[in-house]
Amino acid sequence: MYKIGDKVIDKNGKILEIETTTEKDFGNGPSKYFVLKPVFPYDFNQGYRCFVPVEKADSILRPVMSKEEALALIDSLKTLESYPEVNPRERKVYFQSVISSGSRKDICRVIKTLSEYKEVRKKNNKPLSDFDHKLLNNLLSLFNDEVSLALGISVDNVNRFIRDRTGAVGF
């Protein structure tokens, strides 16, 4: 069960803080809701808040990883396997299904796969597709945000921390 002050991740990977609880009626009668505010600016308006039903919070939200989980994930990055090559149309649907699963390790595999694909495209003087570029940047941002919270370091220092600890690049 979550409580006020907890930092959580929604289904889109955005990190939010439980600000308070309130009773609201959104058409199905009054219910208790968590009021969440973004921890990072993302693409929300100033003062943005969202409401999550308290009784459904466990299926909609997940906790931010602990320091131990973050370090274990970082230590696994160098040996993490990329996904096999998939044609661009199938890749979009496949990666979206992987991301919606919420598995941090699988999301890191998507990041690694897209980073490697980006390098291959670069060698051939070709850019990433708009979808792949946006997906890679979004996933890197969400990954860095969560790791920075888990380790208590600034977002700007996450890449250097990973590189110094593991030698892994692309994160």
Side-chain angles (χ1 to χ4, degrees):
M1 184 55 140
Y2 299 108
K3 61 186 183 314
I4 294 172
D6 284 351
K7 290 181 177 58
V8 294
I9 302 173
D10 70 3
K11 292 278 187 185
N12 297 317
K14 308 288 190 209
I15 300 174
L16 306 160
E17 182 178 348
I18 299 175
E19 189 173 51
T20 189
T21 57
T22 189
E23 190 133 326
K24 288 274 190 189
D25 185 350
F26 288 111
N28 295 330
S31 288
K32 196 170 186 178
Y33 288 84
F34 285 124
V35 180
L36 304 159
K37 67 177 180 180
V39 173
F40 297 96
Y42 303 117
D43 52 357
F44 298 122
N45 293 332
Q46 186 74 12
Y48 172 86
R49 298 296 184 269
C50 69
F51 299 85
V52 172
V54 171
E55 69 272 358
K56 294 183 181 179
D58 288 335
S59 64
I60 297 172
L61 305 172
R62 60 185 166 90
V64 171
M65 68 178 131
S66 68
K67 182 176 183 173
E68 294 75 24
E69 290 170 320
L71 291 173
L73 181 61
I74 289 167
D75 290 342
S76 75
L77 292 178
K78 192 140 179 155
T79 59
L80 205 60
E81 291 184 30
S82 301
Y83 283 106
E85 190 171 329
V86 181
N87 79 49
R89 286 185 194 165
E90 292 173 5
R91 184 172 53 241
K92 180 177 181 176
V93 172
Y94 183 68
F95 284 172
Q96 286 175 326
S97 70
V98 167
I99 293 161
S100 67
S101 76
S103 164
R104 291 174 180 103
K105 192 167 225 167
D106 289 341
I107 290 170
C108 287
R109 286 183 67 194
V110 171
I111 292 170
K112 186 170 186 174
T113 302
L114 286 173
S115 294
E116 289 172 353
Y117 182 62
K118 179 180 178 180
E119 289 305 312
V120 168
R121 300 284 294 171
K122 194 177 191 179
K123 285 179 185 173
N124 294 323
N125 288 327
K126 295 183 179 182
L128 276 178
S129 70
D130 284 344
F131 172 80
D132 289 343
H133 181 74
K134 287 178 186 173
L135 179 61
L136 179 59
N137 287 341
N138 187 38
L139 291 177
L140 283 169
S141 174
L142 297 173
F143 173 80
N144 289 339
D145 290 348
E146 186 174 8
V147 169
S148 76
L149 280 178
L151 298 179
I153 61 176
S154 77
V155 174
D156 297 334
N157 292 329
V158 171
N159 290 333
R160 184 177 41 222
F161 179 85
I162 292 170
R163 194 173 42 252
D164 291 348
R165 185 172 175 101
T166 68
V169 292
F171 285 90

